[in-house]
């Protein structure tokens, strides 16, 4: 239901301050129950995508009017985030190799420096437009088997699930950053800034720190929201 409302916002070109259909209208339009619609609206409100003015209805927020919005309060992979917004997602695998965890990566994954890892570098596209450039460092033990027998262009989270590692949460640090110049020049990514760097450590259901990621997102296309309460 969340995805249906987000798709409606995009299809109708709603901007910040525009009013959504009423709960009754959304129920009729989608065929969902009134309670399902209400729960979806409240969920989107918590993410900061929409807001309610009592007595007047639901309105698109400033963040909700952006091209892509990703709530910090709910974990989802980059692939899942783009797909849920209606994008056709493809990936360009720039490099994949077995390596040894650096001191920084080892600290993030709570392992010894030099622990075997897989280092995966990709560009993620939404409808053929570059949306993110990412370096994912994954515990080698979490994804056994030859590297060349795996499709690295798909969702890393889904690949880990196939081996019993279900990512359920992450801790992230978000900063403004420039794309590394060598990466920008090599892959023709100049002129797409500004960028946001998300350094993220992903935990599985068992508490295992499985992925350390450094992901650069196009700041003009992707926004992150967080709910703050007193």
């Amino acid at each position: 239901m969340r995805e249906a409302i987000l798709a409606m916002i995009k299809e109708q070109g709603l901007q910040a301050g525009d009013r959504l259909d009423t709960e009754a209208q959304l129920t009729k339009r989608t065929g969902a129950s009134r309670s399902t619609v209400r729960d979806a609206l409240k969920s989107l409100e918590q993410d900061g995508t929409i807001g309610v003015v009592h007595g007047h209805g639901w309105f698109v927020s400033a963040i909700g009017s952006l091209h892509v919005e990703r709530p910090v309060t709910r974990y989802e992979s980059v692939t899942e985030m783009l797909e849920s917004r209606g994008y056709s997602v493809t990936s360009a695998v720039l490099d994949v190799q077995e390596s040894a965890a650096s001191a920084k990566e080892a600290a993030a994954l709570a392992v010894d420096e030099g622990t075997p890892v897989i280092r995966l570098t990709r560009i993620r596209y939404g409808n053929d437009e570059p949306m993110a450039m990412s370096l994912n460092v994954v515990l080698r033990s979490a994804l056994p088997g030859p590297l060349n027998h795996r499709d690295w262009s798909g969702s890393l989270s889904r690949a880990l699930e196939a081996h019993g590692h279900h990512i359920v949460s992450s801790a992230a640090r978000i900063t403004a950053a420039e794309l590394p110049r060598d990466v920008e020049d090599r892959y023709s990514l100049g002129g797409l800034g500004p960028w946001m760097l998300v350094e993220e450590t992903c935990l599985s259901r068992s508490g295992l720190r499985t992925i350390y990621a450094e992901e650069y997102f196009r700041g003009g296309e992707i926004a992150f929201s967080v709910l703050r309460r007193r």
Side-chain angles (χ1 to χ4, degrees):
M1 192 63 234
R2 281 175 49 95
E3 287 69 27
I5 296 174
L6 288 169
M8 184 194 71
I9 292 173
K10 181 179 178 181
E11 289 167 3
Q12 296 182 0
L14 299 182
Q15 301 298 313
D18 289 345
R19 185 163 56 186
L20 295 176
D21 288 346
T22 65
E23 289 182 13
Q25 290 171 326
L26 288 171
T27 297
K28 184 177 180 179
R29 177 193 292 265
T30 63
S33 68
R34 188 74 171 262
S35 61
T36 298
V37 169
R38 186 177 296 114
D39 288 344
L41 290 170
K42 289 181 177 178
S43 176
L44 290 169
E45 181 190 18
Q46 290 177 343
D47 291 344
T49 306
I50 63 175
V52 63
V53 178
H54 295 291
H56 296 277
W58 296 92
F59 294 81
V60 178
S61 71
I63 287 177
S65 65
L66 293 175
H67 202 194
V68 177
E69 178 274 332
R70 186 188 189 202
V72 176
T73 50
R74 186 167 61 94
Y75 176 78
E76 57 185 354
S77 70
V78 178
T79 300
E80 292 167 338
M81 179 266 289
L82 291 173
E83 287 180 342
S84 71
R85 272 60 175 183
Y87 284 92
S88 173
V89 182
T90 55
S91 296
V93 179
L94 308 182
D95 187 44
V96 56
Q97 59 180 286
E98 292 189 48
S99 187
S102 67
K104 179 180 180 180
E105 295 161 353
L109 294 171
V111 296
D112 293 330
E113 185 176 352
T115 296
V117 295
I118 298 170
R119 188 169 281 107
L120 172 64
T121 307
R122 298 181 291 180
I123 297 176
R124 224 68 57 84
Y125 297 86
N127 295 346
D128 295 327
E129 285 290 323
M131 291 290 175
M133 197 288 291
S134 62
L135 167 64
N136 291 283
V137 179
V138 189
L139 289 179
R140 184 66 176 97
S141 58
L143 285 177
L147 297 188
N148 59 359
H149 288 181
R150 189 180 297 279
D151 178 9
W152 295 102
S153 64
S155 169
L156 195 54
S157 293
R158 292 171 190 166
L160 286 164
E161 286 178 8
H163 292 276
H165 303 291
H166 296 262
I167 305 299
V168 295
S169 64
S170 70
R173 179 174 179 265
I174 304 174
T175 56
E178 293 185 2
L179 201 62
R181 181 56 61 86
D182 61 329
V183 172
E184 184 178 277
D185 294 341
R186 189 182 311 161
Y187 302 109
S188 302
L189 296 175
L192 299 178
W195 296 83
M196 290 183 294
L197 171 61
V198 178
E199 299 173 86
E200 188 170 39
T201 300
C202 303
L203 285 76
S204 70
R205 189 174 293 157
S206 64
L208 180 68
R209 299 186 186 187
T210 310
I211 306 173
Y212 169 68
E214 294 180 358
E215 299 189 285
Y216 292 83
F217 293 90
R218 287 181 62 185
E221 298 291 333
I222 299 176
F224 298 85
S225 66
V226 62
L227 177 68
R228 302 177 69 195
R229 288 196 176 101
R230 184 178 293 276

